[in-house]
Amino acid sequence: MIPTEEASARRREIEEKLKQVSILSSFESRLMKLENSIIPVHKQTENLQRLQENVEKTLSCLDHVISYYHVAKDTEKIIKEGPTGRLEEYLSCMAKIQKAVEYFQDNNPDSPELNRVKLLFEKGKESLESEFRSLMTRHSKPVPPILILDLITLDDEIEAQEDVTLEHLPESVLQDIVRISGWLVEYGRNQDFMNVYYQIRSSQLDRSIKGLKEHFRKNSSSSGVPYSPAIQNKRKDTPTKKPIKRPGTIRKAQNLLKQYSQQCLDGKKGASNLIPMEGRDDMLDMEIDAYIHCVSAFIKLAQSEYQLLTEIIPEHHQKKTFDSLIQESLDNLMIEGDNIVSAARKAIIRHDYSAVLTIFPILRHLKQTKPEFDQVLQGTAASTKNKLPNLITSMETTGAKALEDFADNIKNNPDKEYNMPKDGTVHELTSNAILFLQQLLDFQETAGAMLASQETSSSASSYSSEFSRRLLSTYICKVLGNLQLNLLSKSKVYEDPALSAIFLHNNYNYILKSLEKSELIQLVAVTQKTAERSYREHIEQQILTYQRSWLKVTDYIMDRNLPVFQPGVKLKDKERQVIKERFKGFNDGLEELCKIQKAWAIPDTEQRDKIRQAQKTIVQETYAAFLNRYGNVPFTKNPEKYIKYRVEQVGEMIEKLFDTSA
């Protein structure tokens, strides 16, 4: 029973599996039929899609080709009207025209449309070039002088974060110019716009610098060259900062020396050609300051121009364009510098050495700014780079010639009797020589470098600063030596040795005091350690020489050859006569010397008092002794005729020496 049930179950299982196999086989058969029917349809669909895509591409290409034939018509109006006010739209039209030109050149070079779009493209390019010129011309303006001055002076007065920036072109205009420039470089294949650029900017650069110069001329008579209110306010907020030293002034040392000269000369003024007229001083100062500021302005403006240029001009054309741009302004500066050198050379010929001093502040400024100049001119032509060094060399040579000629002129200044001071005061030549040397103090490095530039020794290049200082010291000592020789020669014009001594004393004292009141004494000491002591010895020697002039007065009242008498013993006639002659000789000599020497001058109050006091002491003591010995001797019936002065009166008379007002 049991086996039968198992067999039955097994049979049912087998039947079930066979049934499933049958279903699967049937399903597979259906799938194969379905696949055989769908695949052809799918292939047909793919073919249809491919055909549709080809048709669409063909239509698109056809539309694209047809569009080239419409470009001229679609863009002609805009191109003719120009790019003003719609640059982006205009450049978009130009791009379409450019593509149309390329299409016809590649695919249909014989098409009349090619000539049409070519002409339209050239018209558009000309309009863009014209717009470039127009924008540059309309919006390029000279930089106002006050803004330039602020730009120059900021380096010394205001912190870096407060820099003044120059906006040569409005930002929107600059962007348009940059876009046009970029298009002309890429598609215009024309460099004419670069010439237009440098010509316009060059003109504005030159006008800016000339405007600054004119600004100086108009304001030279006012209290000073005005700056902008912003800078003035910033100056008020920074009281600890040192005021700007105007680089052109040569008047500081000159005015100090003139003040001292007037005191020493007791108000007397000479007419030497070494001292410039006051009006000419003002004009020279203005011209010097103007030129120096124009040099600084050129550097600042050129730097700013180069920054602007780099935004507009392609990199490989920037240096050449910049070189062309700065030529006119640079040449004008160099020509003006050459004119200054030429004027200095003429001044040397006529021995007008104060006029020659104009090149000193200018040369100093040029040498100080040369590193900036070199940086600005980096990449320009060699001829451009050499212009400033050539001017510096020319100025150094002329300055050195002026210094040497001045030293020779001091030595060889002719002795003219009519030009000698009657009162023995400081000679014009002395005050002028000291004035000139005093003016050199503001330009020690410059003057030393001038002298060094003429040296060929190896030490000139090896020890630049020290060598130059020693050369300047040697030069000053040479001038002072020449001056001393000339003064000795001039002193011989005086017939009176005492007046000659007063003359030399006054001049030596003036020289010494001037050296001590300035840095000249330190410069002299570089090569002449004993110069100060030497001048003091000369001064004392001349005082002793002067004092000898009183011996002819005091000799009358000295003990030599005077009669010896006993109290109560009557004097002989001969003895009485000797005493009378001594009193009379003293009185006459005292009156004569006081009358003569009262008109002489010793401008230095300290020296005048010293000489008076020394002479007063000598004469009073000698006279007192003589008076004490013979005042009560009965050598005459009229003692008041011979004993005319008391000791105090003699002192009072000597106190009035060297004083015409007494």
Side-chain angles (χ1 to χ4, degrees), residues 31 56 64 66 136-137 202 252 258 303 362 434 455 498 556 561 595 597 625:
L31 283 176
E56 289 176 352
H64 183 67
I66 292 173
M136 288 295 303
T137 303
S202 174
K252 179 182 175 184
K258 277 186 177 178
Q303 288 171 341
I362 293 173
I434 293 297
E455 295 290 322
Y556 283 106
N561 301 321
K595 180 181 179 181
Q597 295 184 7

Side-chain angles (χ1 to χ4, degrees), residues 589-617:
L590 176 66
E591 291 168 357
E592 181 185 5
L593 277 187
C594 286
K595 180 181 179 181
I596 293 172
Q597 295 184 7
K598 184 179 180 181
W600 295 356
I602 299 180
D604 188 304
T605 305
E606 182 182 345
Q607 286 290 312
R608 183 169 64 240
D609 292 343
K610 174 185 174 182
I611 292 173
R612 280 175 179 168
Q613 189 59 42
Q615 202 58 52
K616 175 182 172 182
T617 300

Side-chain angles (χ1 to χ4, degrees), residues 201-216:
R201 293 309 307 169
S202 174
S203 174
Q204 298 307 323
L205 174 61
D206 190 54
R207 287 178 62 192
S208 297
I209 294 175
K210 287 179 177 176
L212 177 63
K213 189 173 182 181
E214 184 63 28
H215 181 75
F216 266 88

Side-chain angles (χ1 to χ4, degrees), residues 216-239:
F216 266 88
R217 285 177 179 162
K218 288 181 179 178
N219 291 280
S220 60
S221 59
S222 64
S223 58
V225 179
Y227 298 79
S228 72
I231 298 302
Q232 295 286 13
N233 292 336
K234 288 171 184 175
R235 286 179 177 161
K236 293 176 183 177
D237 295 338
T238 54

